Amino acid sequence: MTDARRLSDATLADLPPGIERPRYDPAATRIGVVHLGPGAFHRAHQAVYLDDLLAEAPEWAVCAVSLRNPDVRDALRPQDGLYTLSLLGETPRLRVIGSIREVLCARDEQAAVLARLAHPDVRLVTLTITEKGYCLAGDGLDLAHPDIVHDLAAPATPVSAIGYIVAGLRARRAAGLKPYTVLSCDNLPDNGGRLRRATLAFARRIDPGLAAWIEAEATFPRSMVDSITPATDEVLRERVAAALGVEDAWPVQREPYAQWVVEDAFCDGRPPFERAGAILSGDIAGHDRAKLRLLNGPHSALAYLGALMDIETVADAMRHPGLATFLERLMREDIAPTLDAPAGFDAQAYVGAILERFRNPAIRHRLAQIAWDGSQKIPVRLLGTLHDALAAGRPIDRLCLPVAAWMHFVRRQARNGVALVDPMADVLADIGRGTTGQAQDDVAAFLRLDAVFGEMAGERRFVDALVVAYAALGRRVERALATDSGRDLR
Ligand code: CS2
């Protein structure tokens, strides 16, 4: 691939007319945002909102920072940060996004990342580092996490996201600058609150004065992000190269639908996000929880139940009558009633819209992608609902099935020698290999994972229902779905 045949500032003007492109001169923008974790989701979501704004607010271009993996930098730097977004609607659209103007890999370019975080033009740090990137244990910072141990011992040369955020804030304070706003865009309940608490816990250990300054001056808004973003595949790369006439090393794709609800709490100004369609709100009022429980929870349910049925994609799963019916009942009858819904929020209409999105035949969203990191996702996506259903004395049989399916999924992968993509992969593989198929014992082995189950492991009604669900799935998945938990199979 020679650079002349590559998407870049220089080849932008020569793209065929049907390809949408920035309505501003990318080179005339200024970097005002540092984004940690520029995976496909960021590039298909927040970077697109900013791309919509740069014509009128050119001071909010992005410096995209991967903490460890150089792949995004290596793909996008030769392209001046440009890449293509494919919108998977009835009429597919291709759009070149120009909001990322600098791409760094912190592992190799630490000084440049720290300098960027301390730059006076930078007023916002955003994150999509996935659940595990926060190094949390329960609700607080995991002080035993190796990256946190490292960063507390060497705060000037961090490796973790929290370490970088604090190092940047420390440099700004020393330079007499204001702090930046730190905006989590990950699927965690109260994402901003969790990040704030973790950041303060870290800062207090290295410099109490700094911690007090962060507490008083910096803000960590909560946000809810939503857009289904299947991983990039060869089909996409080839389609984009054919349409553009130049190579794009890393295009991304997503459904046309996108939503971003952001708590309007920015300590030093913000991009005019609302003009790009984001909802800015005084309090994001339960939107994050509704999305996490009603979209991500069911996604994970499909991933593990579908895996046991050898189904490949979300749309395929939705074509399976037993699974689709089960999922809809789970959402409408079990999850929706536990939500403390925001005012004016119609949970049943929201469910209908999500089911429609899951059925979108234009999207090949692999269940295997969603199945990643189950140990991180299960607690925030499913166990919160289970906890609330238990407290309200509501039925939990159906809700236990996806959790039991995850256990079977881990067992199957471990016994087949297939590596799990999960920060707890080693422990999970040990448990999976040790399982015998005897429901009581197998479930007990998983429940000992305190980081996943916490006090739920001591809830008798939950444990009993989980054992029933696990046993039923071990016999026949479809039968278990039809009877909610297979209770009648006992
Ligand atoms: C999915 C999410 O991969 C997953 O775990 O549940 O990425 C989901 O597609 C997005 O949160 C949708 O906004």
Side-chain angles (χ1 to χ4, degrees):
M1 205 186 297
T2 67
D3 286 355
R5 299 261 318 118
R6 188 99 177 241
L7 178 63
S8 68
D9 286 352
T11 55
L12 195 55
D14 304 328
L15 297 179
I19 312 290
E20 295 169 51
R21 65 203 75 189
R23 289 175 295 105
Y24 53 88
D25 174 7
T29 60
R30 270 203 333 269
I31 290 173
V33 182
V34 172
H35 181 79
L36 305 182
F41 188 77
H42 167 71
R43 285 180 280 145
H45 188 276
Q46 303 100 59
V48 180
Y49 282 82
L50 288 164
D51 189 68
D52 281 335
L53 295 174
L54 282 174
E56 51 181 311
E59 70 276 28
W60 293 107
V62 179
C63 164
V65 178
S66 306
L67 291 175
R68 291 193 166 84
N69 191 322
D71 293 353
V72 173
R73 178 206 52 202
D74 294 347
L76 298 194
R77 192 178 282 171
Q79 302 183 178
D80 302 313
L82 299 176
Y83 60 93
T84 316
L85 170 71
S86 168
L87 289 161
L88 305 165
E90 270 171 42
T91 351
R93 279 169 52 199
L94 292 180
R95 171 171 171 186
V96 172
I97 305 299
S99 51
I100 297 183
R101 293 307 299 164
E102 180 175 56
V103 207
L104 300 171
C105 173
R107 201 191 52 190
D108 310 338
E109 299 160 302
Q110 181 157 65
V113 174
L114 292 172
R116 185 53 79 188
L117 285 168
H119 195 289
D121 284 351
V122 168
R123 289 183 283 152
L124 176 60
V125 171
T126 54
L127 299 92
T128 49
I129 51 175
T130 78
E131 301 85 348
K132 60 181 175 287
Y134 291 83
C135 305
L136 300 175
D139 201 24
L141 184 66
D142 181 0
L143 292 167
H145 191 293
D147 292 351
I148 298 300
V149 172
H150 172 278
D151 290 0
L152 285 172
T157 52
V159 293
S160 72
I162 305 277
Y164 272 101
I165 289 168
V166 173
L169 288 169
R170 192 182 206 182
R172 298 180 79 89
R173 180 168 179 247
L177 293 170
K178 286 189 178 179
Y180 35 66
T181 301
V182 193
L183 175 58
S184 167
C185 301
D186 278 293
N187 291 317
L188 282 168
D190 186 21
N191 50 12
R194 281 179 200 234
L195 179 55
R196 177 171 185 274
R197 289 189 292 278
T199 304
L200 289 175
F202 183 97
R204 268 185 212 117
R205 281 185 163 69
I206 57 166
D207 180 349
L210 172 66
W213 179 76
I214 297 174
E215 191 162 17
E217 308 281 331
T219 53
F220 298 76
R222 282 162 72 177
S223 80
M224 182 273 258
V225 291
D226 191 8
S227 192
I228 291 174
T229 306
T232 300
D233 52 20
E234 268 322 297
V235 178
L236 176 66
R237 276 183 230 271
E238 280 162 26
R239 199 158 56 77
V240 166
L244 264 57
V246 292
E247 302 284 344
D248 177 350
W250 207 335
V252 295
Q253 55 187 344
R254 66 154 228 233
E255 62 178 337
Y257 176 92
Q259 198 178 27
W260 197 5
V261 186
V262 188
E263 189 184 357
D264 198 357
F266 290 73
C267 59
D268 190 15
R270 63 165 171 81
F273 285 128
E274 64 279 17
R275 289 192 224 150
I279 299 169
L280 274 294
S281 151
D283 162 8
I284 72 165
H287 281 283
D288 53 344
R289 172 181 288 218
K291 188 264 173 170
L292 198 57
R293 291 191 176 188
L294 279 174
L295 189 150
N296 297 109
H299 242 179
S300 290
L302 284 184
Y304 302 120
L305 289 162
L308 300 182
M309 299 163 88
D310 295 317
I311 297 176
E312 212 190 324
T313 69
V314 173
D316 290 346
M318 295 303 292
R319 275 193 286 273
H320 186 286
L323 190 46
T325 306
F326 170 82
L327 195 80
E328 181 158 3
R329 293 184 65 192
L330 182 79
M331 293 165 78
R332 293 195 188 280
E333 296 171 30
D334 299 307
I335 304 176
T338 68
L339 289 174
D340 195 4
F345 177 82
D346 180 344
Q348 296 301 335
Y350 189 64
V351 169
I354 291 171
L355 289 169
E356 202 50 47
R357 291 165 62 198
F358 284 0
R359 284 193 282 261
N360 184 345
I363 300 188
R364 277 190 56 74
H365 195 188
R366 295 181 60 246
L367 294 176
Q369 180 188 339
I370 303 168
W372 287 1
D373 291 350
S375 69
Q376 313 292 301
K377 291 176 176 174
I378 296 275
V380 292
R381 295 179 175 203
L382 292 162
L383 296 183
T385 304
L386 269 156
H387 174 272
D388 293 353
L390 275 177
R394 299 184 54 83
I396 58 164
D397 298 342
R398 246 190 316 255
L399 284 164
C400 283
L401 270 173
V403 182
W406 172 65
M407 295 173 174
H408 274 286
F409 169 79
V410 171
R411 166 173 154 86
R412 193 170 77 171
Q413 304 292 91
R415 290 163 65 91
N416 292 340
V418 181
L420 286 167
V421 182
D422 195 299
M424 295 179 72
D426 293 344
V427 198
L428 291 173
D430 279 349
I431 296 177
R433 275 193 299 269
T435 54
T436 58
Q438 207 284 329
Q440 201 96 36
D441 297 346
D442 289 2
V443 167
F446 280 102
L447 287 176
R448 280 194 283 275
L449 290 167
D450 189 47
V452 178
F453 292 99
E455 49 190 50
M456 288 292 281
E459 294 284 348
R460 206 58 255 164
R461 195 153 79 84
F462 170 61
V463 178
D464 289 347
L466 202 52
V467 170
V468 172
Y470 185 91
L473 285 175
R475 287 195 281 271
R476 199 161 150 246
V477 182
E478 293 178 39
R479 188 71 206 280
L481 291 175
T483 58
D484 295 348
S485 69
R487 241 173 222 290
D488 64 336
L489 298 177
R490 256 194 304 195

